[in-house]
Amino acid sequence: MAEHIDNNKLNDDVRYRFDYFSKFINFTSEDIIALNTLASSVLPLIPVIVDSVYRKLFQYDVTKEYFIINNDKYDGTLTNNENISLESTQMIFRKDMLSGYLKRLLLQREWTNEFLEYLSRIGRMHTNQLGSSSINVEYLHINTTLTYIENLFIENVCSNDNFDNLTKKNILLALNKVFRIQSDLFIIYFLQPSTDHLSTQTIKHKYQKCTCS
Ligand code: HEM
């Protein structure tokens, strides 16, 4: 018999959603250990990784523009900041925030409710969909950035002589899982939950609309 999953609770309860997601993709304490193992060698490189991420975000106007408007906790003011550079004080502050986040992601030993709330707060603060007054980043940019960060870690693992092949495999699987989990904790705030997820009519309709030859 299929295990019952409460669809409403998935959208209301971050722990419940995470537990379901984890069960589905088999994210376990072994994955957390693999991430902790990666931390032991990659932590000194986090500033380089973060720098590369911000360089990438500054490479395109559609992503850079989010940093031109300074609407953050940095100094509490709303200012236009056309001359912002990667070395501006507020960008250094932001880089530190991302470094802290990545370190925590790798070092965390117990995925407590408090930690899940932290990951979920990161997702929530990037959109104003729920009426929050924070920034409003398009999910497209979240997806590209998460992929970019994950790839930097993957490259590091693959070229890291400290790990044998089995350890590398375990770390790569764990990385993939953790980035999908974080992605879900963004998506939950960007997408409206579907109310017709069980409607075969809707699925049929969408399927019929596909004109692929
Ligand atoms: C996809 C992965 C991303 C992660 C993990 C991430 C992480 C973070 C973190 C940890 C913070 C600080 C949160 C805090 O106040 O505690 C933050 C703030 C911020 N992020 Fe992101 N971010 C991501 C993507 C993006 C993208 C794609 C943009 C824009 C193109 C962006 C723009 C910002 C801005 C403008 C802030 C506010 C900074 C401030 O309040 O000073 N983020 N992000």
Side-chain angles (χ1 to χ4, degrees):
M1 205 171 90
E3 180 179 345
H4 173 64
I5 300 294
D6 184 334
N7 204 48
N8 290 330
K9 222 170 159 189
L10 285 177
N11 294 310
D12 292 346
D13 181 336
V14 169
R15 164 58 68 179
Y16 187 78
R17 188 178 175 102
F18 166 77
D19 286 344
Y20 166 68
F21 204 115
S22 301
K23 253 190 292 187
F24 199 111
I25 65 171
N26 197 28
F27 178 76
T28 67
S29 54
E30 301 292 310
D31 294 296
I32 297 175
I33 291 169
L35 295 170
N36 298 160
T37 306
L38 174 62
S40 64
S41 92
V42 87
L43 281 199
L45 294 176
I46 295 270
V48 182
I49 289 176
V50 167
D51 206 59
S52 173
V53 173
Y54 272 97
R55 269 178 212 294
K56 185 52 96 171
L57 289 170
F58 268 46
Q59 202 177 324
Y60 305 99
D61 57 359
V62 280
T63 43
K64 188 178 178 186
E65 68 183 9
Y66 290 103
F67 302 97
I68 291 176
I69 298 286
N70 168 27
N71 56 352
D72 63 356
K73 286 192 280 189
Y74 167 65
D75 63 4
T77 54
L78 186 73
T79 48
N80 249 332
N81 204 340
E82 300 289 349
N83 297 324
I84 195 163
S85 84
L86 285 165
E87 304 316 320
S88 305
T89 322
Q90 56 183 283
M91 290 314 298
I92 290 171
F93 171 81
R94 283 168 174 153
K95 285 191 218 170
D96 285 349
M97 300 296 275
L98 187 58
S99 291
Y101 161 83
L102 291 175
K103 282 182 191 161
R104 209 170 159 192
L105 200 60
L106 299 184
L107 285 170
Q108 191 71 20
R109 289 182 187 272
E110 298 285 331
W111 282 50
T112 57
N113 287 348
E114 191 243 333
F115 183 59
L116 290 181
E117 181 45 44
Y118 170 68
L119 298 185
S120 142
R121 186 172 66 79
I122 301 297
R124 193 168 55 233
M125 65 160 293
H126 286 82
T127 173
N128 65 10
Q129 290 260 358
L130 297 180
S132 124
S133 60
S134 58
I135 40 164
N136 196 26
V137 180
E138 294 270 335
Y139 184 73
L140 163 69
H141 308 311
I142 298 297
N143 201 9
T144 53
T145 307
L146 279 177
T147 308
Y148 188 76
I149 299 174
E150 183 179 356
N151 285 350
L152 291 174
F153 281 121
I154 290 175
E155 270 177 27
N156 177 274
V157 174
C158 291
S159 60
N160 196 319
D161 295 334
N162 295 328
F163 304 134
D164 60 28
N165 281 346
L166 180 62
T167 310
K168 281 185 184 178
K169 178 186 157 198
N170 290 339
I171 295 174
L172 293 178
L173 284 171
L175 276 174
N176 184 43
K177 293 177 196 180
V178 88
F179 277 93
R180 299 293 74 74
I181 289 168
Q182 178 65 83
S183 173
D184 185 61
L185 294 176
F186 273 102
I187 286 172
I188 190 174
Y189 301 109
F190 282 72
L191 296 183
Q192 294 300 321
S194 158
T195 49
D196 60 1
H197 62 286
L198 286 178
S199 158
T200 37
Q201 273 316 98
T202 316
I203 295 167
K204 234 193 251 167
H205 179 65
K206 282 185 182 151
Y207 189 70
Q208 279 161 356
K209 271 172 69 178
C210 174
T211 53
C212 322
S213 53

